[in-house]
């Protein structure tokens, strides 16, 4: 299968993941996960060891299910998404170790300092997402391929829509925003938002020394 002129893995599992993401996500978010997948594939070219292409595909395509109305629950949106992907894979009797890789890739996709030290599927899922969200590593991809991906899956006012979505998560589940990048969005954009300081928690721990 070719998308934006890029040869990608073509399996029933990948097709099911694409349909799940398409049916669960706003169009801008669906396009984001598809671009993230393609950027991850391009960045991974020549990587040793190479990621499993099917697991990379599923991880990237499903990584933002936790931002959808259908799958948002009470945990961090990354964990909600990872849990939804795990259920999707369990229904299809995917081996447990592969499910765990996908779960880790999605749960850690915003945590660069850990994800890049994990398995190739986890690292490249993060790398593809980071390329699309903040442009990290986009210079590793030929510009004609970047343009092709953007033409195939347009951004659709990604920055504004993504910001609005993240701020809504901060408002609805503030306790899940303190230890990830949602804190930055809450601090800058959400009126009345305050986050606890770890220093205060540390100093007020119930121990004498």
């Amino acid at each position: 299968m070719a998308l934006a002129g890029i040869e990608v893995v073509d399996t029933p599992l990948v097709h099911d993941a694409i349909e799940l993401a398409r049916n669960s996500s706003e169009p801008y978010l669906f396009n984001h996960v598809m671009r993230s997948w393609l950027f991850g594939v391009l960045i991974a070219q020549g990587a040793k060891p190479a990621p499993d292409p099917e697991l990379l595909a599923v991880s990237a395509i499903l990584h933002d299910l936790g931002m959808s109305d259908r799958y948002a629950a009470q945990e961090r949106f990354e964990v909600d998404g990872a849990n939804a992907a795990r259920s999707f894979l369990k229904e299809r009797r995917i081996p447990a170790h592969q499910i765990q890789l996908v779960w880790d890739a999605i749960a850690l996709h915003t945590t660069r300092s850990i994800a890049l030290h994990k398995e190739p599927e986890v690292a490249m899922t993060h790398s593809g997402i980071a390329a699309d969200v903040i442009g990290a590593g986009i210079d590793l991809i030929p510009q004609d391929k970047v343009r092709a991906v953007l033409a195939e899956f347009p951004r659709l006012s990604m920055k504004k829509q993504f910001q609005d979505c993240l701020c809504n998560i901060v408002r609805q589940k503030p306790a899940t925003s303190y230890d990830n990048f949602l804190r930055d969005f809450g601090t800058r954009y959400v009126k009345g938002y305050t986050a606890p300081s770890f220093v205060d928690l540390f100093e007020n721990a119930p121990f004498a020394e």
Side-chain angles (χ1 to χ4, degrees), residues 79-196:
V79 174
D80 286 344
N83 289 342
R86 179 167 58 195
S87 296
F88 165 84
L89 294 171
K90 279 186 174 180
E91 290 172 359
R92 288 155 180 80
R93 302 185 183 278
I94 302 302
H97 71 282
Q98 294 183 354
I99 294 176
Q100 187 62 54
L101 274 178
V102 172
W103 194 97
D104 286 354
I106 295 175
L108 293 171
H109 80 262
T110 65
T111 311
R112 183 178 184 84
S113 57
I114 297 176
L116 291 182
H117 298 280
K118 293 279 288 178
E119 295 85 354
E121 295 79 11
V122 180
M124 291 304 163
T125 296
H126 165 81
S127 295
I129 296 165
D132 192 57
V133 175
I134 60 173
I138 202 76
D139 56 312
L140 301 174
I141 303 172
Q143 284 304 298
D144 62 322
K145 294 187 181 297
V146 173
R147 287 191 294 269
V149 171
L150 292 173
E152 184 86 9
F153 298 102
R155 290 182 66 83
L156 306 178
S157 300
M158 164 81 173
K159 287 185 178 181
K160 180 65 169 65
Q161 295 207 71
F162 201 59
Q163 175 186 317
D164 290 346
C165 182
L166 295 174
C167 288
N168 283 335
I169 293 173
V170 171
R171 294 184 187 99
Q172 294 164 9
K173 302 192 294 184
T176 69
S177 71
Y178 300 147
D179 59 351
N180 58 31
F181 71 84
L182 287 179
R183 184 185 190 122
D184 295 338
F185 281 85
T187 299
R188 181 164 299 185
Y189 298 117
V190 178
K191 185 176 180 179
Y193 174 82
T194 56

